Amino acid sequence: MATISENIQQLHGRIERACLQASRPVHSVTLLVVTKTFPASDVREAFEAGECRFGENYVQEAVDKIDALADLRERVEWHLIGPLQSNKTRVVAERFDWVHSVDRLRIAQRLAEQRPAALPPLDVCLQVNISGEASKSGLAPAEVAEVARAVAALPRLRLRGLMAIPEPAATLEAQRVPHRALAGLLAALNRDLGLSLDTLSMGMSADMDAAILEGATMVRVGSAIFGARTRPTPPGG
């Protein structure tokens, strides 16, 4: 059974191959290690293997790990990638470095109001329901420009780009379609609104190659590093 370090090394090789296929520099894609449901000891092992960006879906679980790994806090970034409820914005504004899952303006406004002045601006992405699934969170593509314009004007936040979790697809070509659509949406925001967004947070263990081929700048991977999740997902978050 491969170690976390070995899995990370293999994953970076996979990223490099996808970048070469897309004629992109390897450094243009950042790995976000998704640590939800895995213990703080696994996060530390990933850190010791050279990783410094960690993504969590559930606020309280993440805060527990941030506290457990307090000695690493100045050397790592914590990213919230799961749904964010209004009653949890304060702790996220105070404790995280990134939020990928801003899916309505009111959430962004609360994060801006609650981000401590002593901290750097909070990096945020708008979550887009790019496949139009009823079960998924996120803005409809037609809503993105209006919300992006408003979020970009908020203090204490820095709008970085877009995030999506496309509907699963069986083939590489089918996987590429929603990722291509999200990349086109980001390009339109920069062109039409004069923004300088630089982040496409898309691609996970199963569809990472397709995402990189279509311009992903940050891929979110957990199971390919830590293995299958065997303990229950925490309720609520």
Side-chain angles (χ1 to χ4, degrees), residues 98-103 122-128 151 158-164 198-201 218:
W98 281 70
V99 178
H100 292 231
S101 48
V102 174
D103 60 358
L122 180 66
D123 288 312
V124 300
C125 292
L126 301 183
Q127 182 173 353
V128 182
V151 173
R158 183 166 57 163
L159 180 61
R160 296 295 298 270
L162 304 177
M163 183 272 264
D198 61 5
T199 300
L200 278 170
S201 171
M218 191 175 294

Side-chain angles (χ1 to χ4, degrees), residues 10-32 166 172 175-180 182-183 200-221:
Q10 291 175 7
L11 186 60
H12 279 290
R14 182 178 163 192
I15 291 171
E16 181 175 357
R17 289 190 295 274
C19 287
L20 290 173
Q21 185 179 352
S23 299
R24 298 179 57 190
V26 174
H27 62 75
S28 66
V29 179
T30 297
L31 174 62
L32 179 62
L172 178 69
Q175 289 174 349
R176 291 180 69 166
V177 172
H179 296 305
R180 188 179 306 134
L182 193 72
L200 278 170
S201 171
M202 60 186 193
M204 299 184 289
S205 295
D207 63 350
M208 183 184 79
D209 303 81
I212 292 172
L213 289 171
E214 295 299 337
T217 64
M218 191 175 294
V219 292
R220 310 180 306 271
V221 181

